[in-house]
């Protein structure tokens, strides 16, 4: 069976302990996965360097780019928020989050007073780590900085690793009037790499490529791979490890005693059972979805049978034709 652990972000991790005793796998009907609120988002794409830095009049082109994404609160409610990237200077962009079409979204000013619904919320400043000379940690703000090559760079001096641009607390009012809050940390990519956000003179297409939240999910099916790993498939698109099938091998399989209904009992002649994971040593692999004693491709077998039958018919017609010709020759002699 699968054992459950939690990673540093609270995400459950399921593993199979091969040293644990064997247990009967049980798939409970109506199994569910509880919802998980969004705490991390991953972004990728481009911010167009040609977007103007200032917007003097409403008729001028906008100096920002908006990208929407779906996030989840602690109860699994889905919310669509808009991430706005504002071009504030050469190679610099400020980012903020708003939910203009979500009446449950709450934003407060610096004093904690509620702002009008839909007001963009600036990211909170994360606690700074203790500076270590001569390379002090960079200040964490809601500003993205790109170099002349269009790739992310940290504040001077450059420190390797993920680009730091703060986090943001998102607040919503639940149906019962209580408040739910979650801190969302964005992953903009690594400094000097193009896998995350970039700033090139091409069309802006920055998007959220992944987020770790999800709604409640119900078990809709199971999958079993060739090494016997069984995963549950849930209605929210998640998969969860349920366990792994085991295979018993014997030194002398021919010495097993038939019990009936495809069951066998070990004997002194067969030796003791050696239990392994499928695919290990002499243990075979699992063919999912196949019936025992019928693990063949029926479509292929029927096709081969038809081809064989037609070939036999053609050969028999040749013999029949040859016999008729010989019979005709005999009749000519008479």
């Amino acid at each position: 069976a699968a054992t459950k652990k939690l990673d540093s972000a609270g995400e459950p991790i399921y593993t199979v302990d091969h040293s644990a005793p064997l247990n009967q796998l049980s798939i409970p009907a109506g199994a569910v996965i509880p919802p998980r609120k969004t705490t991390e988002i991953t972004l990728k794409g481009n911010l167009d360097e040609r977007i103007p830095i200032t917007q003097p009049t409403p008729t001028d082109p906008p100096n920002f780019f908006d990208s929407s994404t779906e996030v989840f609160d602690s109860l699994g409610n889905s919310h669509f928020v808009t991430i706005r990237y504002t071009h504030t200077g050469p190679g610099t962009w400020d980012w903020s989050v708003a939910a203009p079409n979500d009446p449950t979204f709450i934003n407060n000013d610096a004093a904690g007073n509620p702002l009008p619904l839909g007001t963009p919320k600036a990211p909170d400043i994360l606690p700074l780590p203790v500076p270590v000379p001569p390379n002090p940690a960079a200040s964490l703000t809601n500003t993205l900085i790109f170099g002349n090559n269009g790739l992310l760079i940290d504040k001077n001096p450059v420190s390797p690793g993920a680009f730091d641009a703060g986090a943001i607390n998102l607040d919503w009012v639940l149906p019962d009037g209580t408040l739910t809050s979650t801190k969302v940390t964005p992953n903009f990519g690594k400094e000097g790499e193009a896998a995350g956000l970039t700033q090139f003179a091409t069309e802006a297409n920055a998007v959220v490529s992944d987020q770790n939240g999800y709604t409640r999910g119900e078990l809709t099916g199971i999958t079993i791979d060739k090494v016997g790993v069984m995963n549950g498939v849930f209605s929210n698109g998640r998969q969860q490890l349920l366990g792994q099938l085991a295979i018993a091998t014997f030194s002398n399989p021919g010495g097993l005693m038939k019990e009936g209904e495809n069951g066998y009992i070990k004997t002194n002649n067969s030796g003791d059972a050696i239990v392994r994971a499928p695919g290990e040593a002499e243990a075979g692999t699992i063919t999912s979805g196949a019936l025992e004693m019928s693990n063949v491709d029926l479509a292929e077998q029927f096709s081969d049978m038809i081809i064989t039958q037609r070939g036999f018919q053609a050969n028999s017609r040749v013999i029949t034709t040859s016999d008729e010709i010989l019979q005709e020759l005999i009749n000519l002699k008479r």
Side-chain angles (χ1 to χ4, degrees):
T3 58
K4 176 181 177 181
K5 295 182 180 179
L6 297 178
D7 62 12
S8 58
E11 179 76 6
I13 300 176
Y14 295 88
T15 57
V16 176
D17 184 4
H18 291 159
S19 63
L22 293 178
N23 293 311
Q24 184 175 357
L25 282 175
S26 176
I27 311 300
V32 299
I33 290 181
R36 185 176 193 269
K37 65 182 181 180
T38 301
T39 58
E40 297 178 0
I41 58 175
T42 301
L43 302 104
K44 68 177 183 180
N46 185 63
L47 295 174
D48 193 346
E49 187 271 340
R50 298 168 298 182
I51 291 178
I53 295 176
T54 59
Q55 187 179 358
T57 66
T59 59
D60 290 332
N63 63 335
F64 59 86
F65 174 75
D66 288 344
S67 176
S68 297
T69 186
E70 182 182 26
V71 295
F72 297 89
D73 62 28
S74 58
L75 294 183
N77 295 309
S78 172
H79 304 272
F80 283 90
V81 298
T82 298
I83 303 176
R84 171 164 293 186
Y85 306 91
T86 304
H87 203 180
T88 58
T92 60
W93 299 72
D94 287 347
W95 66 276
S96 59
V97 176
N101 298 319
D102 190 344
T104 65
F105 181 77
I106 292 181
N107 189 11
N108 297 326
D109 60 16
N113 301 314
L115 295 174
L117 292 178
T119 303
K121 180 176 176 61
D124 302 316
I125 305 303
L126 294 178
L128 294 179
V130 177
V132 180
N135 183 23
S139 174
L140 303 180
T141 70
N142 64 321
T143 301
L144 301 172
I145 302 177
F146 296 91
N148 293 331
N149 58 358
L151 303 180
L152 285 168
I153 60 173
D154 208 340
K155 287 78 175 175
N156 194 24
V158 175
S159 59
F163 184 88
D164 299 321
I168 188 169
N169 284 320
L170 300 181
D171 302 324
W172 289 278
V173 176
L174 298 176
D176 60 359
T178 58
L179 182 70
T180 179
S181 177
T182 177
K183 177 182 285 187
V184 178
T185 302
N187 177 10
F188 294 105
K190 293 184 178 180
E191 304 161 24
E193 297 185 8
L197 288 183
T198 59
Q199 183 202 246
F200 301 133
T202 57
E203 182 181 1
N205 57 5
V207 294
V208 174
S209 61
D210 189 28
Q211 58 87 30
N212 64 348
Y214 47 83
T215 186
R216 175 182 181 272
E218 298 181 357
L219 183 66
T220 58
I222 60 173
T223 62
I224 304 175
D225 63 15
K226 66 179 182 179
V227 294
V229 174
M230 181 182 299
N231 286 288
V233 181
F234 293 81
S235 58
N236 58 0
R238 304 283 298 182
Q239 291 194 20
Q240 179 178 305
L241 178 66
L242 302 177
Q244 185 178 25
L245 301 177
I247 292 181
T249 60
F250 296 86
S251 302
N252 179 25
L256 294 171
M257 180 185 299
K258 290 186 178 181
E259 188 183 26
E261 298 183 356
N262 293 332
Y264 293 85
I265 300 176
K266 73 171 184 176
T267 65
N268 292 332
N269 192 23
S270 67
D272 292 332
I274 304 174
V275 180
R276 296 186 176 95
E280 292 183 359
E282 294 85 6
T285 56
I286 302 295
T287 302
S288 177
L291 295 175
E292 189 175 1
M293 303 300 291
S294 297
N295 54 353
V296 297
D297 188 337
L298 292 180
E300 181 180 357
Q301 294 298 317
F302 273 119
S303 299
D304 292 343
M305 184 180 66
I306 292 173
I307 294 173
T308 303
Q309 181 184 12
R310 295 304 182 190
F312 178 79
Q313 287 177 344
N315 290 333
S316 64
R317 292 297 175 86
V318 170
I319 296 173
T320 301
T321 303
S322 300
D323 180 65
E324 290 177 354
I325 293 174
L326 290 175
Q327 185 65 35
E328 193 66 29
L329 288 174
I330 293 173
N331 290 339
L332 289 175
K333 183 179 180 182
R334 292 176 184 175

